[in-house]
Amino acid sequence: AMAEQDICPHLDCIGEVTKEDLLQKSKNECPYVGCGESYSDHSTLHAQAKKHNLTVNLTTFRIWCYVCEREVFLEHRPALPVGHPLKAVPIAVAEEEGSESEEDELKPRGLTGMKNIGNSCYMNAALQALSNCPPLTQFFLDCSGLVRTDKKPALCKSYQKLISELWHKKRPSYVVPTSLSHGIKLVNPMFRGYAQQDTQEFLRCLMDQLHEELKEPLTECSMSGEGSDGEERRDGDRSPSEDEFLSCDSGSSSDRGEGGGAGDGELLIQDECDGGRSPPVGMVGISSGGVISEKESLSFKVLLGIMCLPAQLLLSARKKKQFQYRSVISDIFDGSILSLVQCLTCDRVSTTVETFQDLSLPIPGKEDLAKLHSSIHQNLPVKTGVCPDTYGSQGWISYIMDSIRSWFWGPMVTLEDCLAAFFAADELKGDNMYSCERCKKLRNGVKYCKVLRLPEILCIHLKRFRHEVMYSFKISSHVSFPLEGLDMRPFLAKESPSQVTTYDLLSVICHHGTAGSGHYIAYCQNVINGQWYEFDDQYVTEVHETVVQNAEAYVLFYRKSSEESVRERQKVVALANMKEPSLLQFYISREWLNKFNTFAEPGPISNHTFLCQHGGIPPNKYHYIDDLVVIVPQNVWEYLYNSFGGGPAVNHLYMCAICQVEIEALAKRRKMEIDTFIKLNKEFQAEEAPTVILCISMQWFREWESFVKGKDNDPPGPIDNSKIGVMKGGHIQLKQGADYGQISEETWQYLLGIYGGGPEIAVRQTVAPADPDSLHGERKIEAETRAL
């Protein structure tokens, strides 16, 4: 929420007034009072009907503009040029920066509770843990103009509003997250009602939906090897299924976006383990730890119609593109795992790279711990996934205390133990044998897993709950975890490009009680003052770090820690403060500057977030380009470019004429296709006895319909009737129970001419006329039957 973003043009209608003046004005001119928590609430309906854009919360006296869809502030500030000033407003001072004293800047924010609205502690704890992840929260505060979506229920808007309330300087003691709760229930019926739910399931559902609403396709330019950040992208926007992430032998933890299951991760079969490997599948950014201070932070028809279509559009119609997507969610939380499976008969090795959003770790028991520790002391090969460095030397007092604790409560389990158990080698034998491509048989094998790319924020889920057929139970073993210095290097693949491997704890969600019930709370470290706080629904209490260390952790959020990134920010702020006159001014991505503020490894400058492939501004982004860019002086640009690479350099913003022509051609194509289809279908409906009725897959038809109606920007691929047909007697016939539609032969030929594909499946064809005598006999029998 930068200063220039907070200035609402609709405040001009009331002039420069205080909140008290506004309340008095509302009493005299519009005394309407209504609820304002859902999408069709009375305040929203009143604003639409009366064009009263501004509404005042009578509890908090905060102002919301329905047109701007953001919170606005009445304090007067001078207008600022686009993208200036350079300094990014950290979370600590996200609003009303000009009116704050130094004492106000150090005052912690984000200490707002959330009211329990009916067994919603699972949601409140998850939201507080996410709220205290600086890269994500600072994006929703500093880059609010990027939070745009046309997808329902617009959960990203509800989350943005919640974050602005939680981190507001004049925060209330607690907020009621009704709007976000309503949205998540629309997305997933599992969260409807008032039953207790699993906080990890809620987290996955929320982040998947945020990614879905905020995702953007990666352009070819941004994918063409711009440094390390260009190496790893979402392929098909799919993560492997959680159902398969039960141990290291499955490979991933998240289910996000379109596509299939675990097989959607890129698979490369090769004869040598160290041969060519497939590119990683996730995109991730990397961050610094510690408290962000303001000084360290940087702101920031038919045949003729077909012939008239551009050749590029015709080619794209023939083949459905498999776009790769990214969002702020994937940038922050996505990592990737490299899995290698070796056949113990022929020694062939296959590799798979899969994206993960979180790591679901088993809690090893006494026997598992003994095996893990004995394998370490026996110096087994590193390929087992466990490194002796994982268990560093400890002081004799800690050793004695751990021994006493183990004697009373069982063996001491550490988070490193859980990681080692997860990444340990897995034997594939018995019912779990490996299907070797070279041997063409089921063979015994061994599977190894390593992290290929570490995420900016590492989410770790400890599998405390077991669900059997007749009952469920909880593993209540204490797992010790570090508040600082979690080193992931022992579990890193040698091919990994990640340079920063150390993490500091941001927040931890705890569950008290038994399986199927209980209560959730969260412990979070405040980014302003570094203190730890307990978030228990609407109550927020400061606690000592020992309380956190003794907690029964369920979900943990770790953030990459790097002193080098802090020094980089300090250098750039110093350059900006020099205010050297420059002949050139450079535009840089606001979203990338947010990464620079909050990531340890922000990757190369990625200005393709606001540029098209031709180097201009896409027409659909031109009207809000101010939200996408920041102006920086020449000395700052040169330093950032020399340090991080990427680009391209942008000194002039203009709407792309080529994209405009393509958009107009696409609109004509859509209109032509849908108009022709309606015309042909009307003719088909008018036929009393059509000689031929052809079938078309409804799955393909729905994709085509979304394209011609403008809901999907990309045309469908070739017609695919393979799922609705079956081969019988050498002929393709309609499969029983198939999801299909009926169209005329003319409609089929029209769509086939544009998209190609097949096969052709008919449900009624031309038949020879029946013999008159035979027909007369049939009618006679029918009449006699009726009489009988």
Side-chain angles (χ1 to χ4, degrees):
M2 294 185 62
E4 65 267 28
Q5 292 174 322
D6 291 339
I7 297 175
C8 171
H10 307 96
L11 288 175
D12 296 339
C13 64
I14 61 173
E16 185 177 342
V17 295
T18 64
K19 292 177 182 176
E20 291 73 17
D21 295 334
L22 186 62
L23 288 173
Q24 187 62 39
K25 191 178 183 69
S26 68
K27 292 178 182 177
N28 298 334
E29 297 185 15
C30 179
Y32 182 82
V33 177
C35 58
E37 283 293 344
S38 63
Y39 293 102
S40 58
D41 56 63
H42 295 105
S43 293
T44 303
L45 296 175
H46 176 78
Q48 293 170 349
K50 300 293 185 180
K51 304 299 181 184
H52 292 175
N53 301 324
L54 299 176
T55 183
V56 184
N57 187 312
L58 296 179
T59 303
T60 63
F61 300 121
R62 292 163 67 178
I63 317 298
W64 181 264
C65 178
Y66 282 103
V67 178
C68 296
E69 293 187 335
R70 68 176 62 165
E71 184 175 3
V72 295
F73 306 95
L74 296 179
E75 283 76 9
H76 177 70
R77 278 184 305 240
L80 296 172
V82 175
H84 192 82
L86 195 75
K87 179 184 53 168
V89 185
I91 292 174
V93 286
E95 302 95 4
E96 305 176 79
E97 126 185 67
S99 62
E100 292 191 65
S101 64
E102 291 185 7
E103 183 178 349
D104 290 334
E105 293 177 7
L106 299 177
K107 186 178 180 180
R109 304 198 189 168
L111 303 181
T112 307
M114 293 187 200
K115 186 175 181 180
N116 192 312
I117 50 179
N119 270 338
S120 63
C121 59
Y122 70 92
M123 177 181 71
N124 294 347
L127 291 174
Q128 294 288 11
L130 280 182
S131 171
N132 284 276
C133 294
L136 185 64
T137 293
Q138 192 153 333
F139 170 84
F140 278 96
L141 292 177
D142 288 356
C143 305
S144 58
L146 300 178
V147 184
R148 298 171 181 270
T149 186
D150 55 0
K151 298 178 181 179
K152 299 298 182 182
L155 205 62
C156 59
K157 290 285 188 181
S158 300
Y159 185 77
Q160 179 188 28
K161 185 178 179 182
L162 177 67
I163 290 298
S164 67
E165 291 175 348
L166 293 176
W167 289 90
H168 193 271
K169 182 180 71 173
K170 298 178 181 179
R171 67 188 192 304
S173 60
Y174 67 89
V175 297
V176 186
T178 313
S179 178
L180 193 137
S181 175
H182 177 72
I184 206 74
K185 290 175 182 179
L186 292 176
V187 173
N188 194 327
M190 176 178 69
F191 298 109
R192 296 173 187 172
Y194 297 96
Q196 179 70 281
Q197 302 292 341
D198 183 72
T199 190
Q200 176 68 359
E201 294 293 337
F202 172 82
L203 277 169
R204 285 181 179 158
C205 181
L206 173 63
M207 290 198 285
D208 284 350
Q209 183 64 22
L210 290 177
H211 167 76
E212 197 64 26
E213 293 180 357
L214 297 173
K215 71 179 182 181
E216 289 193 347
L218 288 163
T219 63
E220 294 180 4
C221 300
S222 63
M223 295 167 58
S224 58
E226 284 189 353
S228 62
D229 214 27
E231 294 176 5
E232 193 171 311
R233 307 292 182 200
R234 280 183 178 249
D235 188 10
D237 192 38
R238 174 68 180 192
S239 300
S241 171
E242 155 64 8
D243 294 337
E244 300 197 20
F245 202 144
L246 300 179
S247 66
C248 172
D249 54 307
S250 61
S252 189
S253 72
S254 173
D255 180 10
R256 184 186 300 171
E258 308 90 11
D264 285 52
E266 291 197 27
L267 180 66
L268 175 67
I269 305 298
Q270 58 200 49
D271 292 337
E272 298 296 334
C273 177
D274 57 353
R277 61 185 177 88
S278 61
V281 184
M283 179 177 179
V284 30
I286 305 179
S287 146
S288 71
V291 178
I292 300 178
S293 69
E294 184 175 0
K295 294 181 180 179
E296 296 170 351
S297 186
L298 174 70
S299 179
F300 310 103
K301 47 194 175 191
V302 180
L303 183 58
L304 178 62
I306 297 174
M307 292 172 63
C308 294
L309 292 173
Q312 184 179 0
L313 291 180
L314 277 176
L315 289 174
S316 64
R318 294 286 184 178
K319 185 178 181 180
K320 177 74 171 179
K321 291 184 180 179
Q322 292 297 320
F323 282 99
Q324 297 173 348
Y325 294 88
R326 60 152 295 277
S327 72
V328 64
I329 300 297
S330 62
D331 288 356
I332 294 173
F333 294 98
D334 276 11
S336 60
I337 283 181
L338 175 66
S339 301
L340 301 95
V341 179
Q342 181 178 9
C343 175
L344 296 182
T345 302
C346 69
D347 289 332
R348 180 180 179 276
V349 175
S350 63
T351 64
T352 307
V353 178
E354 295 172 327
T355 304
F356 70 87
Q357 178 185 332
D358 55 63
L359 294 179
S360 288
L361 306 184
I363 301 176
K366 186 174 183 180
E367 294 182 1
D368 299 320
L369 280 177
K371 290 179 182 178
L372 283 172
H373 293 180
S374 63
S375 65
I376 293 167
H377 296 304
Q378 291 170 11
N379 294 320
L380 288 186
V382 178
K383 69 180 183 179
T384 59
V386 182
C387 177
D389 294 340
T390 305
Y391 306 90
S393 59
Q394 56 183 351
W396 64 272
I397 296 179
S398 299
Y399 176 79
I400 293 175
M401 293 301 295
D402 290 347
S403 299
I404 296 174
R405 183 169 191 158
S406 299
W407 190 82
F408 279 102
W409 291 285
M412 181 72 174
V413 183
T414 67
L415 186 60
E416 288 83 356
D417 288 327
C418 300
L419 285 164
F422 176 83
F423 286 105
D426 188 45
E427 295 184 35
L428 307 178
K429 59 183 181 180
D431 294 336
N432 195 28
M433 293 179 72
Y434 166 62
S435 178
C436 179
E437 290 288 335
R438 178 182 290 175
C439 299
K440 305 296 182 184
K441 291 183 179 179
L442 290 175
R443 298 292 192 187
N444 290 336
V446 181
K447 183 167 186 176
Y448 313 105
C449 292
K450 288 284 189 177
V451 178
L452 188 60
R453 181 175 288 274
L454 289 167
E456 152 66 16
I457 289 183
L458 176 63
C459 178
I460 295 177
H461 163 228
L462 296 178
K463 292 157 64 171
R464 291 194 175 276
F465 299 103
R466 294 277 180 86
H467 301 286
E468 305 295 343
V469 177
M470 300 298 294
Y471 64 96
S472 299
F473 65 93
K474 177 183 175 183
I475 302 173
S476 298
S477 305
H478 178 77
V479 177
S480 66
F481 51 89
L483 298 184
E484 296 178 349
L486 174 65
D487 189 8
M488 292 295 292
R489 185 173 41 196
F491 314 107
L492 210 60
K494 63 180 180 180
E495 301 91 345
S496 174
S498 300
Q499 299 295 318
V500 181
T501 62
T502 305
Y503 285 82
D504 294 339
L505 187 66
L506 287 173
S507 54
V508 54
I509 302 174
C510 304
H511 177 268
H512 301 300
T514 58
S517 60
H519 183 63
Y520 287 100
I521 64 170
Y523 293 106
C524 308
Q525 186 180 40
N526 186 269
V527 72
I528 312 305
N529 60 10
Q531 297 295 323
W532 284 93
Y533 292 86
E534 178 190 82
F535 292 83
D536 186 354
D537 287 333
Q538 67 191 64
Y539 303 104
V540 181
T541 311
E542 183 175 344
V543 296
H544 194 267
E545 62 181 30
T546 54
V547 176
V548 182
Q549 288 176 312
N550 290 323
E552 190 178 288
Y554 179 47
V555 181
L556 303 104
F557 287 90
Y558 279 93
R559 180 190 185 190
K560 276 193 174 179
S561 173
S562 168
E563 291 297 327
E564 179 62 27
S565 63
V566 176
R567 289 191 290 268
E568 287 283 356
R569 294 180 201 125
Q570 291 172 341
K571 291 177 184 177
V572 172
V573 171
L575 287 173
N577 290 335
M578 291 173 63
K579 298 181 179 179
E580 288 185 356
S582 57
L583 297 177
L584 287 176
Q585 62 179 13
F586 289 80
Y587 294 93
I588 194 167
S589 164
R590 183 182 296 272
E591 188 169 7
W592 185 84
L593 280 178
N594 184 66
K595 287 186 181 181
F596 178 77
N597 276 335
T598 56
F599 285 28
E601 295 176 330
I605 298 170
S606 50
N607 281 343
H608 290 291
T609 55
F610 66 88
L611 296 176
C612 69
Q613 58 182 339
H614 313 110
I617 310 300
N620 63 322
K621 293 184 177 180
Y622 191 75
H623 69 284
Y624 63 93
I625 188 62
D626 293 357
D627 294 332
L628 305 180
V629 299
V630 171
I631 297 175
V632 297
Q634 183 176 334
N635 63 338
V636 172
W637 165 261
E638 289 176 347
Y639 181 84
L640 292 174
Y641 179 75
N642 291 332
S643 300
F644 299 97
V650 179
N651 301 101
H652 178 59
L653 300 177
Y654 61 92
M655 185 188 295
C656 179
I658 301 175
C659 287
Q660 186 63 38
V661 171
E662 291 179 353
I663 289 174
E664 292 172 357
L666 188 62
K668 289 180 180 178
R669 169 186 172 173
R670 283 175 166 145
K671 186 176 187 305
M672 182 184 300
E673 287 189 24
I674 197 168
D675 288 349
T676 305
F677 177 85
I678 292 173
K679 174 178 173 293
L680 294 175
N681 194 50
K682 281 184 178 179
E683 295 174 356
F684 176 54
Q685 297 297 325
E687 292 185 49
E688 291 186 3
T691 56
V692 177
I693 298 177
L694 295 177
C695 303
I696 191 163
S697 165
M698 285 305 297
Q699 181 179 347
W700 182 89
F701 185 83
R702 283 187 287 266
E703 291 182 9
W704 174 80
E705 187 178 17
S706 295
F707 167 66
V708 295
K709 288 184 176 180
K711 296 179 181 179
D712 191 344
N713 292 328
D714 310 312
I719 299 172
D720 183 11
N721 274 351
S722 60
K723 295 182 180 180
I724 66 170
V726 62
M727 185 69 70
K728 287 184 180 180
H731 300 284
I732 299 179
Q733 298 181 14
L734 183 66
K735 185 187 298 184
Q736 186 174 3
D739 182 19
Y740 75 99
Q742 297 179 343
I743 58 176
S744 67
E745 187 175 14
E746 291 78 13
T747 306
W748 169 265
Q749 292 298 333
Y750 174 68
L751 294 174
L752 191 69
I754 299 176
Y755 295 98
E760 182 178 303
I761 302 175
V763 294
R764 180 176 179 183
Q765 295 181 344
T766 305
V767 294
D771 180 64
D773 295 336
S774 173
L775 187 61
H776 176 73
E778 290 178 2
R779 288 176 177 171
K780 184 178 180 182
I781 294 172
E782 182 181 353
E784 291 175 351
T785 304
R786 287 178 178 173
L788 181 62

